[in-house]
Amino acid sequence: MTTLVIGNYSDIDHAALTRTFDPVFIAGPGDLAGLPADTRAAVRAVCYKGHAKFDGSAMDLLPALGLIANFGVGYDAIDVTAATARGVKVTNTPDVLNDDVADLAVGMLLSQVREMEQASAWARSGHWAAKGEYRLNRKFSGGKVGIVGLGRIGREIADRLAAFKMEMHYYARSEKQTPGWTYHADPVSLAAAVDYLVVALVGGASTEKFVSKDMIDALGPRGIIVNISRGTTIDEAALLDALETGRIGGAALDVFLNEPNIDPRFYALDNVVIQPHQGSGTVETRAAMGQLQRDNVSAFLAGQPLLTAVN
Ligand code: NAP
């Protein structure tokens, strides 16, 4: 019985995977076909990490496959429908990363509103000494914020922003228990009601371009969008247009279409905070994600209930 590890792992995770499963390692699903047929036939569990598609045709190369354990809470790269149809279970790593992603979202929004990157450049370039104080910017505390997707991470973001005395609004498919925050069943009405939109939706086909041109226009020229979900959840062409023409105030983005080869138009914009998809990227959280991934595989191989199954 073989465990197959797909993706690039930290040295710590690589060592722990080797110790625990003595697995076969490959870089991506594209390398599957190159494995010897007897190796593929022995694979019962896959540890998966990455954003390349893991579809039914890849699963068919592993006829004894029973589990795909994803490294990450977002499993939109894995075709779960195809997995279910083949009797393959899928697990993810929820909750252990909520704090880091929420911290980064708040930091990105604060950085954007208080122009921290531009102000830093002002000081570093010598303008502070030569030309004087940096320009006045905008008060952060007490703003109006709309969370698009009040799930696990969205809730952590909301709790943090509520501590900044913000007026809280949110969209989800159903109303949640909150301390009196305003629910919007219509995402355009949410965008029209707030200064800042923070997107914390799941990725995948069901939320593709969920943040539409209409939402962006409803947010308006003083509005700022933060995205820590997936590049797919925003109509990126509409966002770029709105940023370039000033129909929206700014954006703070950790995720993009075609990462890491993002649209170069973003680099020309000084009203965008750009992060290289590092929401969960701390030593502590990546260790916890790796542990949860391995714990799911160990449970599966021992015939025990999975810890965090998604199908
Ligand atoms: P979650 O608890 O499942 O919350 C997801 C939210 O998306 C919920 O509010 C849910 O609405 C909403 N949603 C799901 N399907 C929808 C649909 N078809 N239409 C509209 N809304 C929909 O997920 P989570 O743990 O918070 O994670 C959210 C996402 O964050 C992940 O899927 C991943 O893509 C992303 N993420 C990014 C990073 C990073 O490094 N930037 C790190 C971790 C995760 P309901 O409440 O109505 O169900």
Side-chain angles (χ1 to χ4, degrees):
M1 197 188 312
T2 303
T3 297
L4 176 67
V5 174
I6 304 180
N8 291 315
Y9 290 77
S10 69
D11 291 346
I12 293 171
D13 279 328
H14 197 281
L17 285 161
T18 302
R19 240 184 355 260
T20 316
F21 305 118
D22 189 20
V24 174
F25 288 90
I26 58 173
D31 299 331
L32 271 171
L35 288 173
D38 57 337
T39 303
R40 285 192 281 105
V43 171
R44 287 282 293 137
V46 164
C47 291
Y48 188 69
K49 182 173 182 225
H51 300 289
K53 292 282 167 232
F54 193 163
D55 58 15
S57 59
M59 295 170 204
D60 289 339
L61 294 168
L62 304 168
L65 185 63
L67 175 72
I68 303 169
N70 189 50
F71 184 104
V73 66
Y75 49 85
D76 42 303
I78 299 166
D79 186 339
V80 177
T81 307
T84 305
R86 289 161 177 75
V88 175
K89 298 295 287 181
V90 178
T91 59
N92 66 344
T93 61
D95 289 318
V96 293
L97 40 62
N98 294 352
D99 281 339
D100 277 356
V101 183
D103 291 349
L104 191 77
V106 172
M108 287 161 63
L109 180 57
L110 183 52
S111 173
Q112 172 63 273
V113 174
R114 295 303 314 272
E115 302 182 359
M116 285 159 70
E117 287 191 352
Q118 296 93 324
S120 177
W122 182 264
R124 286 174 187 274
S125 68
H127 287 353
W128 187 15
K131 298 184 179 178
E133 285 184 358
Y134 183 69
R135 70 182 177 203
L136 301 184
N137 41 81
R138 180 175 177 184
K139 181 167 176 170
F140 182 70
S141 285
K144 295 180 191 174
V145 66
I147 311 294
V148 187
L150 200 72
R152 288 172 294 243
I153 294 171
R155 181 64 195 233
E156 288 290 339
I157 295 168
D159 286 341
R160 282 159 175 72
L161 291 174
F164 285 92
K165 305 171 201 161
M166 294 220 174
E167 185 181 303
M168 303 301 301
H169 299 250
Y170 71 98
Y171 160 86
R173 288 172 299 181
S174 58
E175 195 165 355
K176 312 286 181 198
Q177 287 257 332
T178 67
W181 302 344
T182 305
Y183 173 62
H184 298 256
D186 172 10
V188 177
S189 122
L190 173 76
V194 299
D195 310 309
Y196 314 130
L197 269 187
V198 184
V199 187
L201 294 167
V202 298
S206 71
T207 55
E208 204 172 327
K209 297 187 181 168
F210 186 93
V211 179
S212 60
K213 178 176 181 298
D214 285 351
M215 275 182 82
I216 293 167
D217 285 339
L219 187 60
R222 276 180 57 80
I224 289 168
I225 291 188
V226 178
N227 190 11
I228 52 79
S229 61
R230 286 287 184 265
T232 50
T233 60
I234 296 186
D235 183 338
E236 197 174 275
L239 177 65
L240 274 163
D241 271 357
L243 286 165
E244 286 170 348
T245 56
R247 290 189 352 267
I248 187 175
L253 308 168
D254 187 43
V255 287
F256 301 82
L257 294 179
N258 305 319
E259 299 170 9
N261 301 307
I262 71 173
D263 193 316
R265 285 161 72 195
F266 281 113
Y267 297 128
L269 290 163
D270 66 3
N271 55 351
V272 183
V273 167
I274 296 175
Q275 293 290 299
H277 199 155
Q278 65 130 339
S280 66
T282 65
V283 171
E284 295 85 349
T285 290
R286 289 289 166 86
M289 291 164 68
Q291 187 65 56
L292 183 49
Q293 182 188 42
R294 294 191 296 279
D295 288 348
N296 272 303
V297 175
S298 296
F300 172 77
L301 296 176
Q304 303 291 325
L306 299 170
L307 283 80
T308 49
V310 301
N311 66 344

